[in-house]
Amino acid sequence: MASNAPVGKPTDMSAPRLPKVAGIDSTVPAPPHTAAPLPGVPPAAAPSDAVLPPGVLIQDRLASWVSDLTTLHELTERLIKTSSLDGALREVLGAGAALVGARRGMAVLEPADGLGPTSTIGLGLAHADLGTIETVPRGSGSYGRLLDGLPEAGPTSTRPSSTRPTRVPEPIAIRDVRTEEGLDPRHREVAARLGYAASYALPLATEEAGGLGAAVWLYDEPAEPDERRRHLIGLYGRFATEHLARLLQVERARVRVATVAEELLPSRLPRVPGVRLAVRHLTGPQGGGDWYDALPLPEGALGLAVGSVSGTGPSALAAMGRLRASLRAYAVMEGEDPVAVLSDLELLLRLTEPARSATALFAYAEPAQRRIVLAGAGHAPPLVVGDRRTEFVETSLSAPLGMLTCWEAPSVELSPAPGETVLLYTDGLLRRTGDATDRAFARLHAAAASVPGADRSDPGAVADHVLRTLLPEDLDPTVEGEDVVLLAARFE
């Protein structure tokens, strides 16, 4: 009977299905940006009448995705290791050139809020080439059009969020400078002179970070990146913009801190007969409490001081300013006795800021007699540099200010020979080397001993040589934030 016939399966369930690969439903179409391979990589050959199995197509697309993700991961990993704006811009240029298939380019940092800093970095372009490109009218150049259309920088803008523009400009591709409509004749002239025929410009902007600048890559022949390359450089550009925004905030904070620190320190060094002075002061991004002072005292004497307050940031700067001002007062009253000066400073610090400690070194100098009396509180010993000797001054050991109930350590006296330079410095100079303390002292001694004879007559040249030798460019980033003070006094 018909009623007893078995019930058949629905047609859509019994129809054959395409195989699955790695758990991915093969019927789901691939995103369009992964469809085209990178130029220069030929597709696998297949007979004209053959049809590739869907699984093979999926595997190819998955391999393309993995390749793209691996490339972006490697490039972003390299980018996040940069710690300066110029270094990050150079990395962006190099990575972008690989992604869009160009050989040369330039990046312009020009925050839309107008607060700076500004910078222009080239890839494969000399400084003169960058200047030549900048002669192109801003409205004709692709990067100039992007900069003029960028919104204000979000994190630093003072405008209400409801009124800030959030539109991010689209990249600008010029496939052929010779035939592109609307270009200024100067643009074509510069392109011919520098030998590029096409360009691709990318805004360094996001809705969160705002507009920070633009990057443009130059092709030797008429060309433009395909859809896949555009997608990759777009992803990388958004990540790069966020990284640049963080570095920009750090740089602006460092400049503000350095400005405040410089205002709290002497605006110029005094001129005292018989001695020449020079100072070098490096401020870290967070701003520490390292300081120095040089003040003329009665009867032709000179007071020299260096010190460091514990902590970083505005509170350390404020404490440094108060400590330096107090030391000046004590030096005027009893400068000929450095122990008394530091004892008064210890009492003041213990009563006014019991939670803070500080190191300090004060020297009472009589240049006419080439005589120095000094005392230190937890501070590194001075270094005497001359033609016949380079040696540390033997000072008595003592704890930093604020660490004892009552501080007192004996002073020491030294007599520099004519032409010798006495170097006073803060611990930041040693810590910035990244070495252990004993090795840092040894490196400082070696750097001072290697000062060329022609530079020994100039205290500024002595200080520059020591810094240049002791603090190489590949400085350990974990200690890069230390403040440094180096005060040089050359006795005639």
Side-chain angles (χ1 to χ4, degrees), residues 287-291 308-324 345-359 400-404:
D290 287 16
W291 54 275
S308 178
V309 177
S310 62
T312 59
S315 62
L317 291 176
M320 177 264 283
R322 291 191 293 268
L323 204 65
R324 172 180 167 266
L345 206 61
E346 156 72 21
L347 179 61
L348 175 72
L349 187 67
R350 189 156 40 87
L351 293 177
T352 59
E353 299 187 61
R356 193 180 297 277
S357 64
T359 66
L401 301 175
M403 300 293 289
L404 298 176

Side-chain angles (χ1 to χ4, degrees), residues 268-272 274-280 292-296 302-305 365 367 421-422 424 457-461 463 486-492:
R268 62 183 180 86
L269 296 175
R271 293 184 178 181
V272 177
V275 65
R276 295 172 58 193
L277 301 175
V279 68
R280 300 294 182 263
Y292 66 92
D293 207 346
L295 66 156
L302 176 69
L304 300 174
T421 300
V422 179
L424 310 180
S457 61
D458 182 1
L486 182 58
L487 178 60
R490 183 184 188 274
F491 290 82
E492 305 295 342

Side-chain angles (χ1 to χ4, degrees), residues 389-470:
R389 62 170 176 169
T390 299
E391 61 185 27
F392 290 102
V393 178
E394 293 292 339
T395 58
S396 57
L397 297 177
S398 66
L401 301 175
M403 300 293 289
L404 298 176
T405 304
C406 179
W407 178 90
E408 184 174 346
S411 60
V412 296
E413 183 175 330
L414 67 146
S415 299
E420 288 187 333
T421 300
V422 179
L423 297 179
L424 310 180
Y425 52 93
T426 58
D427 293 341
L429 178 63
L430 303 174
R431 289 195 293 268
R432 270 214 187 194
T433 64
D435 293 326
T437 302
D438 55 347
R439 177 166 172 76
F441 274 116
R443 288 185 57 187
L444 173 59
H445 184 277
S450 65
V451 176
D455 292 340
R456 291 181 183 268
S457 61
D458 182 1
V462 173
D464 290 336
H465 177 85
V466 170
L467 289 177
R468 188 168 54 249
T469 306
L470 200 61

